[in-house]
Amino acid sequence: MASNPAAPVNPGKVIAVHVAYESRAAQRGRKPAQPSYFLKTNSSVSGSEGTVERPAGTELLAFEGEIALVIGEPARNVPLAEAWDHVAAVTASNDLGIYDYRAPDKGSNLRSKGRDGYTPIGPELIDARTVDPAGLRVRTWVNGELVQEDTTGEAQLIFPLAQFVADLSQHMTLNTGDVILTGTPAGSSVMVPGDVVEVEVDAPTAPGAPSSGRLRTTVVEGPGDFDPALGTTPQVDDAQREDAWGSREAAGLGPTPAQDAADDAADLPQALRNKLMAAPTAGLSAQLRKRGLNQVVIENVYPGAPGTKMVGTAKTLRFLPGREDLFKSHGGGYNAQKRAFDAVRPGEVLVIEARNEPGSGTLGDILALRAKANGAAGVVTDGGVRDSAAVLEIGLPVFSQTSNPAVLGRKHVPWESDVAVACGNATVIPGDVIVGDDDGVVVIPRALAEEVADEALAKEHEDSWVFDRVAEGNPVDGLFPPTGEWKQKFQEWLAENPAPNHGADSPADLAGNLPTNSAEGVGDGTERN
């Protein structure tokens, strides 16, 4: 049996919060509108320097470093403004859980988190009257490596700590000594026998920087002789593995079918990418128009540097019009904008819907640097760009309406990503092909990209011959586009001068095959200026 040293408190009940940190919500991909809770047994409480058992035959014992609130004066129906007065102390806790029982528990967490020793608390209590509840910090180490760190500021917590006291007191009396576990930040993962996990809570900016000290727990192998005649035995699947480890990658799992499809969309074949790099947007737009697609130009966006060419598949980000209450709930912390820039993949273009509103920046140098590091093909926004000189220096292709020094919250609320968006009066869905050059940006349905590129390049090759004939002094009548005698001459020239191999498999193969007058733009012979 695992040892169970005494904790500095002996609670009548332990109440745990499901999700409280912005970072954890972002990791899980869902953010609660209101707090929710579950109960842990008081027999799960233990102290520091103890051991915790992972039952034999199970695999997913996970740590969750948390801040524990210890109730002082009993609380019943207390308002939010008075709730912190009912907290006597704060300390470190580890909301241990075995995910092998999470699905059978169906949300109660009774068996997954209620086992003996699964709520270490301590080692020391910090007087709650000496600290600001918005100035606490929680850190977790596994085998000496820091794996979790977060604070309790407004931007980091979804709900202030005092709200848990006030909310719970509407439904039950919180008695002296009761403990509230206030949720874990991102970074929770799986432990194995032999691992040592340590959790510390401190108030680094408070006088004396009070600390709980490190709450230390060692994982050991325990008996796993569950009797199936008495109840459910442990069960695991890939969904539980992903949640326990924190990601599919950390769990050693391959991508889901949906992720495979997204990867396929993002991964344009190199030959097609080369064709699109060589094809001017004017020519691509003309070919799309031939196919009945007229609303495919992202209007009024321009490259930060002349001569920029951009090709990639769309990842989308949507902003709502600025509203103070929504920005307070969605604009701080690890918001949708930051998550999108963190998640953009190699070869993707992040397309931002800013409602043609240039009155504030929609990205700056730090986010541009992050996208560049991730291998993004570029960014398109129908809003403004902050730090425009620094963004230009980073070298990421960025197309925007203008530069603007104002911060995002002046006009926008970062809302959601990976949805259909309207950017510059064009609809863009994730996976669309995005091509940009000095003329602007066009959106190409993925299924049409190959044929549109081929025909645009063929027309560009023809126009290069026409350009040379006009340069010789010939009038455009009958030449642009070639008809009659001129058409016959072009066909003879084409037989001896086939179009370059823009579909070469490597950029090096492509280097010598760019059109001689690609900067001139390409049309269908009736719309070219």
Side-chain angles (χ1 to χ4, degrees):
M1 176 70 69
S3 61
N4 191 12
V9 293
N10 183 24
K13 55 182 173 287
V14 179
I15 304 170
V17 177
H18 279 112
V19 178
Y21 285 84
E22 294 281 1
S23 62
R24 179 70 161 176
Q27 184 183 36
R28 289 291 178 89
R30 51 189 183 273
K31 180 176 177 178
Q34 301 293 344
S36 61
Y37 314 93
F38 59 93
L39 284 167
K40 297 194 75 171
T41 61
N42 56 9
S43 60
S44 71
V45 175
S46 64
S48 188
E49 303 297 336
T51 58
V52 62
E53 292 179 347
R54 189 189 74 172
T58 63
E59 63 173 276
L60 300 178
L61 174 60
F63 63 86
E64 294 183 6
E66 304 195 10
I67 297 170
L69 310 183
V70 182
I71 298 299
E73 185 71 21
R76 177 64 174 149
N77 287 320
V78 298
L80 180 60
E82 300 174 11
W84 193 251
D85 296 336
H86 292 262
V87 179
V90 298
T91 190
S93 62
N94 193 341
D95 183 16
L96 295 163
I98 186 163
Y99 279 66
D100 305 61
Y101 267 108
R102 199 172 74 148
D105 275 352
K106 294 181 170 55
S108 74
N109 288 328
L110 180 62
R111 290 167 293 186
S112 63
K113 292 192 171 226
R115 297 178 64 83
D116 291 351
Y118 272 41
T119 313
I121 296 177
E124 304 296 333
L125 301 179
I126 302 171
D127 187 340
R129 294 168 297 180
T130 67
V131 297
D132 179 355
L136 299 173
R137 175 175 63 175
V138 58
R139 291 179 291 176
T140 306
W141 296 262
V142 175
N143 301 328
E145 179 183 354
L146 182 66
V147 292
Q148 288 185 293
E149 181 173 7
D150 217 328
T151 58
T152 56
E154 183 178 351
Q156 286 73 42
L157 281 179
I158 302 171
F159 317 104
L161 297 180
Q163 183 174 341
F164 303 137
V165 178
D167 182 26
L168 288 165
S169 78
Q170 298 182 103
H171 307 285
M172 66 194 75
T173 299
L174 299 174
N175 292 312
T176 302
D178 284 349
V179 167
I180 302 173
L181 308 184
T182 58
T184 195
S188 166
S189 194
V190 170
M191 304 182 298
V192 299
D195 284 347
V196 176
V197 61
E198 298 170 291
V199 183
E200 180 184 13
V201 169
D202 65 351
T205 61
S211 168
S212 68
R214 291 199 183 186
L215 174 68
R216 180 183 173 95
T217 307
T218 302
V219 183
V220 299
E221 188 83 2
D225 48 351
F226 301 103
D227 186 346
L230 298 178
T232 305
T233 54
Q235 303 171 10
V236 293
D237 56 26
D238 284 353
Q240 298 303 331
R241 291 185 179 97
E242 180 179 354
D243 273 356
W245 283 94
S247 70
R248 294 185 66 84
E249 181 181 20
L253 303 172
T256 64
Q259 289 169 332
D260 273 333
D263 288 339
D264 289 343
D267 186 20
L268 286 177
Q270 187 62 54
L272 174 56
R273 190 177 294 273
N274 290 345
K275 291 177 183 179
L276 293 167
M277 286 293 291
T281 56
L284 295 169
S285 175
Q287 295 303 321
L288 288 166
R289 180 170 182 175
K290 281 186 174 181
R291 289 158 176 79
L293 296 176
N294 291 306
Q295 309 301 318
V296 291
V297 174
I298 298 180
E299 298 173 353
N300 300 318
V301 297
Y302 309 97
T308 297
K309 188 62 185 277
M310 175 183 69
V311 172
T313 51
K315 177 181 177 63
T316 59
L317 171 62
R318 179 176 175 236
F319 293 153
L320 293 184
R323 205 176 92 182
E324 289 76 5
D325 59 326
L326 294 180
F327 193 86
K328 184 176 181 180
S329 62
H330 288 77
Y334 195 46
N335 60 35
Q337 179 201 39
K338 294 175 183 176
R339 295 197 300 271
F341 275 86
D342 257 351
V344 66
R345 294 173 297 178
E348 287 186 323
V349 173
L350 186 57
V351 181
I352 302 173
E353 176 187 334
R355 309 174 317 284
N356 285 306
E357 172 52 73
S360 71
T362 56
L363 74 147
D365 57 346
I366 291 176
L367 293 181
L369 183 62
R370 178 58 177 155
K372 173 82 169 178
N374 282 348
V379 177
V380 181
T381 173
D382 60 357
V385 173
R386 298 181 70 218
D387 313 310
S388 55
V391 170
L392 180 62
E393 186 176 347
I394 287 167
L396 178 75
V398 174
F399 289 72
S400 68
Q401 281 210 40
T402 186
S403 300
N404 195 298
V407 296
L408 179 73
R410 181 171 182 263
K411 293 288 186 179
H412 306 294
V413 178
W415 195 252
E416 59 185 340
S417 61
D418 302 319
V419 296
V421 298
C423 182
N425 296 324
T427 297
V428 181
I429 63 173
D432 277 344
V433 176
I434 307 298
V435 182
D437 61 18
D438 285 338
D439 280 350
V441 178
V442 296
V443 182
I444 307 173
R446 178 64 180 84
L448 294 178
E450 189 91 41
E451 64 180 83
V452 166
D454 286 339
E455 293 198 28
L457 288 169
K459 190 65 173 68
E460 175 73 354
H461 189 53
E462 175 185 304
D463 282 357
S464 69
W465 179 82
V466 171
F467 181 89
D468 291 341
R469 304 292 77 76
V470 173
E472 293 168 351
N474 293 293
V476 297
D477 185 26
L479 176 59
F480 184 53
T483 60
E485 182 181 353
W486 281 120
K487 185 173 183 179
Q488 178 64 32
K489 290 182 178 181
F490 170 69
Q491 294 297 332
E492 293 171 357
W493 176 85
L494 183 62
E496 297 181 1
N497 300 274
N501 181 21
H502 295 297
D505 287 337
S506 72
D509 295 334
L510 177 66
N513 294 326
L514 291 174
T516 58
N517 64 327
S518 59
E520 295 301 317
V522 179
D524 62 6
T526 61
E527 298 182 10
R528 185 172 176 178
N529 293 326

